[in-house]
Amino acid sequence: KNSIKSNTQKKKVQTSMATKAHKFQDEDTPDIKSIELNASQASDTGQQEQNPNGVSQSFETEGRHPHRKLSHGHRKKRKKASTTRTYFTLFKSFVGIGILALPNAFKQAGIIGGTIGMLVVAAASLYCMELLVRLTDKIGHDKVSTYSDVGRLIYRRYGKWTVDFCILFSQMGFSTSYLIYIGQQTDQVICTETDGRYCGHPEVYIFVTLFVLIPLSLLRSMKHLAIPALIANVAILLGISAIIIFDFIEIQTEAPEVINFKFATLPLFFGIAVFTFEGIGVILNIKDSMEKPEKFQGMLRKTIVVLSCLFIFFAGFSYRAWGEDTKDMITLNLPPGEVVSFIQLFYCVGLTFTYPVMMFPAVDIIESSRGFKNLPSW
């Protein structure tokens, strides 16, 4: 009797539990038909979100690692720059201290050889830059906007690391050369104007310049760098114009002989010529900052054509003026005086406002690194 009672109680408990579970399932758990209906709706929605190439945006954005975002430049929406501001920034990114070394490059290749060589370098640079621009247009501006994105898209994370390493050190190298030039030229001007009483302290002027450059380098939108780029354009173009005037005076006084072709030192010419197109490292960042990025390719072509004409005219005219006495930096050929000191300081001002533009991609890479993100915040 006791065993029969215990079995009866167990069956009652099991029956009550099954009844409660069935009620719970009816209330909170969808049936098979509702599950199938939701799945079909989700698949239809996913098909509508596919791009023209037939690949869903979620897969194309995340790839094999859904927890990783494709671009570190899109974590925060940045203010966009107008077409005019973008042009000033683009023009300034290619005009730095490289143009001051171009007359010496023509000395290494000859005036005709240098002209042909500059056209070749300009055409090759433009072709490579247009490849990058067309890639971003094809994939989408919201997915590929930096060199890091291109590296990750093609060679996964190893490509991104390689590209980041190259961009970081190339842009920092350009920027460091700016600091060295600013320190040396400022020291030379002060030494000349004080009759040699304060000389040999370029590191002091570099340290003082950093107080201006560090805040400017922390600006994270190309729109904010448009005004410094405009100031730099005016300062550098005035400096180049003054150098051309001195070249014209020198040609009128005494026109030295120039060589048409040189083949022995041609590699040195190409090294300087490639260095002149130093803005290639920031074109994707500049394009990403535009309100209308579809206009960037046409703007890039016009800019490279104008810059190529400016580079060839300035370098050829300066080499024609000084001949085989052309120095490594054309400013070293200018006679000392107040006007020359003004030109040197004005050019230093231009390079000071160019520095943030050149450091923009390097700072962007540093801020997106894991070590930077793990730093404590205040």
Side-chain angles (χ1 to χ4, degrees):
K1 290 182 181 180
N2 292 333
S3 62
I4 292 173
K5 289 182 180 179
S6 62
N7 291 334
T8 303
Q9 291 176 355
K10 287 182 181 180
K11 288 180 180 181
K12 290 182 180 180
V13 172
Q14 291 176 356
T15 303
S16 62
M17 291 177 64
T19 304
K20 291 180 180 180
H22 181 70
K23 290 181 180 180
F24 177 79
Q25 182 177 6
D26 291 339
E27 293 175 357
D28 297 338
T29 306
D31 56 5
I32 296 177
K33 291 183 179 181
S34 64
I35 293 174
E36 291 177 351
L37 179 61
N38 293 334
S40 63
Q41 291 176 354
S43 63
D44 294 337
T45 305
Q47 290 178 357
Q48 293 176 359
E49 293 179 352
Q50 284 183 344
N51 58 19
N53 294 329
V55 182
S56 65
Q57 293 182 359
S58 60
F59 176 81
E60 190 168 330
T61 304
E62 298 175 356
R64 293 186 176 180
H65 305 281
H67 61 282
R68 297 180 183 176
K69 292 184 178 181
L70 183 62
S71 172
H72 57 259
H74 301 102
R75 295 192 183 100
K76 295 180 180 179
K77 292 184 178 180
R78 295 170 179 170
K79 295 182 179 180
K80 301 297 183 179
S82 63
T83 304
T84 304
R85 291 192 175 192
T86 304
Y87 178 78
F88 287 137
T89 307
L90 181 63
F91 186 88
K92 183 64 222 70
S93 65
F94 286 97
V95 183
I97 62 174
I99 190 173
L100 299 180
L102 270 183
N104 181 261
F106 271 55
K107 173 186 172 183
Q108 309 301 329
I111 191 166
I112 297 180
T115 302
I116 297 174
M118 280 301 300
L119 292 175
V120 172
V121 173
S125 300
L126 178 59
Y127 174 73
C128 294
M129 287 185 284
E130 284 195 342
L131 285 179
L132 292 169
V133 173
R134 289 201 296 266
L135 174 65
T136 59
D137 291 338
K138 183 176 181 180
I139 302 300
H141 306 292
D142 56 337
K143 298 178 180 64
V144 179
S145 63
T146 64
Y147 281 94
S148 300
D149 297 340
V150 176
R152 175 179 290 175
L153 182 68
I154 299 174
Y155 295 112
R156 302 295 180 182
R157 58 179 181 177
Y158 299 105
K160 178 186 180 301
W161 294 343
T162 303
V163 170
D164 285 350
F165 177 83
C166 294
I167 293 295
L168 181 64
F169 282 92
S170 65
Q171 297 306 120
M172 291 182 67
F174 291 141
S175 303
T176 302
S177 65
Y178 286 7
L179 287 176
I180 295 174
Y181 181 86
I182 292 171
Q184 291 179 345
Q185 293 296 309
T186 305
D187 181 70
Q188 183 179 349
V189 169
I190 294 178
C191 184
T192 301
E193 297 301 321
T194 58
D195 297 327
R197 285 177 293 179
Y198 300 99
C199 299
H201 303 289
E203 65 278 358
V204 176
Y205 308 117
I206 292 175
F207 184 76
V208 173
T209 306
L210 286 175
F211 279 98
V212 180
L213 295 179
I214 291 176
L216 290 176
S217 299
L218 296 179
L219 295 175
R220 301 318 307 138
S221 175
M222 284 288 183
K223 180 179 180 180
H224 299 144
L225 296 176
I227 301 301
L230 176 61
I231 297 173
N233 284 331
V234 173
I236 289 180
L237 288 178
L238 287 177
I240 292 175
S241 301
I243 293 173
I244 292 175
I245 293 174
F246 275 98
D247 293 339
F248 181 77
I249 295 173
E250 184 66 21
I251 291 176
Q252 294 296 320
T253 304
E254 181 182 0
E257 295 183 0
V258 295
I259 300 174
N260 293 328
F261 286 99
K262 279 186 181 180
F263 296 99
T265 54
L266 200 58
L268 182 58
F269 161 80
F270 279 106
I272 300 174
V274 171
F275 174 75
T276 306
F277 290 91
E278 55 194 274
I280 192 173
V282 298
I283 60 166
L284 293 184
N285 299 91
I286 295 176
K287 179 176 180 291
D288 183 52
S289 70
M290 287 188 67
E291 292 178 349
K292 300 178 180 179
E294 63 275 5
K295 295 184 177 181
F296 182 78
Q297 188 169 356
M299 180 191 301
L300 179 64
R301 292 177 182 176
K302 295 176 183 178
T303 303
I304 296 300
V305 170
V306 172
L307 287 173
S308 299
C309 296
L310 175 62
F311 291 160
I312 292 173
F313 172 76
F314 177 77
F317 196 71
S318 297
Y319 175 56
R320 183 68 182 85
W322 305 99
E324 293 301 305
D325 292 331
T326 305
K327 306 296 183 183
D328 294 338
M329 288 287 179
I330 192 61
T331 52
L332 299 176
N333 286 99
L334 303 182
E338 294 182 357
V339 177
V340 175
S341 298
F342 176 78
I343 294 172
Q344 291 173 322
L345 289 179
F346 223 59
Y347 210 92
C348 288
V349 171
L351 293 181
T352 300
F353 287 105
T354 307
Y355 185 93
V357 178
M358 302 307 296
M359 281 295 294
F360 190 91
V363 175
D364 203 17
I365 291 172
I366 293 173
E367 288 185 348
S368 66
S369 64
R370 185 176 301 177
F372 185 86
K373 292 178 182 178
N374 292 333
L375 291 176
S377 59
W378 290 274

